[in-house]
Amino acid sequence: MPLVALVVDDSMLIRHTVCRFLEERGFAVESATNGQEALESLKRRRPDIIITDMEMPKMSGSELITALKSRPETAQIPVVIVAGKQSGFEKKEQRATFAIFKDIDIEDQLAKALEVVIHLSSTKTVAAGK
């Protein structure tokens, strides 16, 4: 059964790029254009990873992460932040597992983020005896 990813970004180009990248690596992918849509999507399917933009209309990535971390059923889902630029970026969002930046090769960064997240998930699964 493939891993499931939820991609949340109001930019159609970024959303399409990230979704295609994940699908090429065997992920089943859901997408949303803002945090509210993402929360609705979570009612239908629990992803193994969430990749979210920080600045979106209706509900920002930070607000989405707050909602995720406040619910026991979603608190442990790894979250990868997609931030605008690396220069001047302070890791404001300490609750995220990883941060990638739009001004650097997204696919290369995403590959590294997936390695980290998948490794962390497999380590937790082994530790839990699953």
Side-chain angles (χ1 to χ4, degrees):
M1 192 165 182
L3 292 174
V4 177
L6 174 58
V7 178
V8 189
D9 201 309
D10 59 323
S11 165
M12 186 175 70
L13 177 62
I14 299 292
R15 205 172 52 248
H16 175 74
T17 300
V18 173
C19 287
R20 188 192 79 240
F21 178 88
L22 292 166
E23 288 167 345
E24 289 173 353
R25 281 148 187 82
F27 280 79
V29 181
E30 301 276 332
S31 68
T33 61
N34 61 59
Q36 285 180 346
E37 284 183 17
L39 292 176
E40 285 300 312
S41 177
L42 288 169
K43 292 176 183 176
R44 295 184 301 276
R45 191 174 198 183
R46 184 188 182 281
D48 297 293
I49 184 172
I50 297 173
I51 299 163
T52 184
D53 188 14
M54 290 307 288
E55 296 192 24
M56 298 176 288
K58 296 184 183 177
M59 179 186 274
S60 71
S62 185
E63 292 168 319
L64 172 60
I65 293 169
T66 297
L68 293 169
K69 298 303 179 185
S70 70
R71 300 175 182 177
E73 65 274 14
T74 58
Q76 298 303 315
I77 299 173
V79 177
V80 176
I81 292 173
V82 180
K85 295 181 180 179
Q86 185 173 17
S87 65
F89 178 80
E90 298 172 22
K91 191 161 182 195
K92 302 179 256 192
E93 195 48 73
Q94 297 296 328
R95 299 168 297 171
T97 308
F98 212 88
I100 63 176
F101 304 95
K102 294 179 184 178
D103 62 340
I104 304 172
D105 183 345
I106 289 178
E107 291 185 355
D108 184 48
Q109 294 176 84
L110 193 51
K112 290 175 184 166
L114 289 176
E115 283 180 33
V116 169
V117 169
I118 291 169
H119 176 73
L120 288 174
S121 294
S122 66
T123 303
K124 288 178 185 175
T125 301
V126 170
K130 293 182 180 175

